[in-house]
Amino acid sequence: RDQAAIFTAQFPINGKYPWKWNPETGERSPYPFKSSQNELDITLKPLESLLLVFEVEKPTVKAIATSSKEKKAKEIAGLWQVQGNRVDGQKINWELEQLIDFSQSNDTSKTTFGGTIVYQQSINMEEGFTHIDLGNVNEGITQLYVNGHAAGTRWYGQAIYPIAEFVKQGSNEIEIHYTTVLANYCSALTDNETAQKWTRHKVVAPTGLEGPIRLLAY
């Protein structure tokens, strides 16, 4: 989950061509190969998955392997206004100077939290940044809003969002919605026999954004 995987894979396929499919949108694109269409060089970033489908259809344009490199990066520092919307309807407010794993906190309102956590901050945007990387999200579901515009949702993989069309020079409002698992919340329900049965032998689940959250230019 913390390192990229780079390898060459050979598939028991003849006479078909590799296509990369996006299971969320249904979009597909030709997957690049060198001399044999069943032998592919594959690179997977941390927590990234890849859906390949071999089809009889031959691409009309040869796919070319591409890669993106960071041209510059800047960590977003400063105070985060954080609101926890717990599954039982309770709302909790925190101020965080540093992003943390809630499960490792000394504050029981964080260690037993289950629901949605909303992180908010105003940032000053410099010219050239096109993406934002949320860093370590502890496998939570994230949604990003920039100046009130929905920039997308990440259920898995790296939480990197394109933001160029939503930002402006100067001050910008960043809002991140983070959905947790319910394990830590359920383990704290000591009067609930069913909850205790299912969480009795569970370790605490890492929860919340740990970052670092960075602005990126590729």
Side-chain angles (χ1 to χ4, degrees):
R1 56 177 281 185
D2 298 320
Q3 296 181 341
I6 302 173
F7 57 96
T8 298
Q10 191 169 39
F11 298 86
I13 300 292
N14 291 310
K16 295 185 178 181
Y17 298 88
W19 292 78
K20 178 181 178 180
W21 280 73
N22 184 326
E24 294 182 4
T25 65
E27 295 177 353
R28 64 173 190 151
S29 58
Y31 194 86
F33 61 89
K34 294 178 181 177
S35 57
S36 177
Q37 58 259 41
N38 70 338
E39 187 172 310
L40 308 178
D41 294 329
I42 296 176
T43 298
L44 296 177
K45 298 176 182 177
L47 296 177
E48 183 182 17
S49 60
L50 173 66
L51 175 59
L52 288 173
V53 178
F54 286 85
E55 303 182 35
V56 175
E57 180 184 352
K58 182 178 181 180
T60 56
V61 178
K62 181 176 176 61
I64 300 175
T66 60
S67 62
S68 299
K69 294 183 179 180
E70 291 181 17
K71 184 168 62 175
K72 62 177 179 176
K74 178 183 178 182
E75 184 174 344
I76 297 177
L79 188 67
W80 289 92
Q81 301 295 328
V82 183
Q83 181 180 84
N85 301 312
R86 220 164 66 171
V87 291
D88 60 3
Q90 182 179 355
K91 296 185 183 296
I92 310 171
N93 294 297
W94 304 284
E95 288 187 342
L96 297 180
E97 293 184 356
Q98 182 176 356
L99 297 172
I100 60 168
D101 172 2
F102 274 30
S103 72
Q104 301 303 309
S105 173
N106 294 322
D107 181 353
T108 56
S109 70
K110 297 184 178 75
T111 57
T112 63
F113 186 84
T116 302
I117 307 170
V118 180
Y119 298 79
Q120 295 176 309
Q121 189 180 149
S122 296
I123 65 170
N124 189 55
M125 179 61 65
E126 299 175 11
E127 186 176 356
F129 289 112
T130 58
H131 291 70
I132 188 169
D133 178 4
L134 303 188
N136 182 7
V137 300
N138 285 314
E139 300 185 27
I141 301 169
T142 60
Q143 296 172 285
L144 176 68
Y145 296 85
V146 181
N147 295 322
H149 300 284
T153 302
R154 298 291 182 269
W155 291 75
Y156 55 88
Q158 291 182 300
I160 299 178
Y161 293 84
I163 59 171
E165 64 179 300
F166 307 119
V167 295
K168 61 182 187 297
Q169 287 291 105
S171 180
N172 291 262
E173 299 298 321
I174 301 296
E175 185 172 296
I176 304 161
H177 292 215
Y178 179 100
T179 303
T180 78
V181 296
L182 297 181
N184 297 344
Y185 172 75
C186 289
S187 66
L189 301 178
T190 55
D191 295 331
N192 187 312
E193 184 177 344
T194 302
Q196 291 302 299
K197 175 183 177 181
W198 286 101
T199 61
R200 185 176 298 122
H201 303 296
K202 303 290 185 182
V203 297
V204 292
T207 301
L209 298 176
E210 283 194 75
I213 297 179
R214 302 182 302 148
L215 295 171
L216 303 176
Y218 288 104

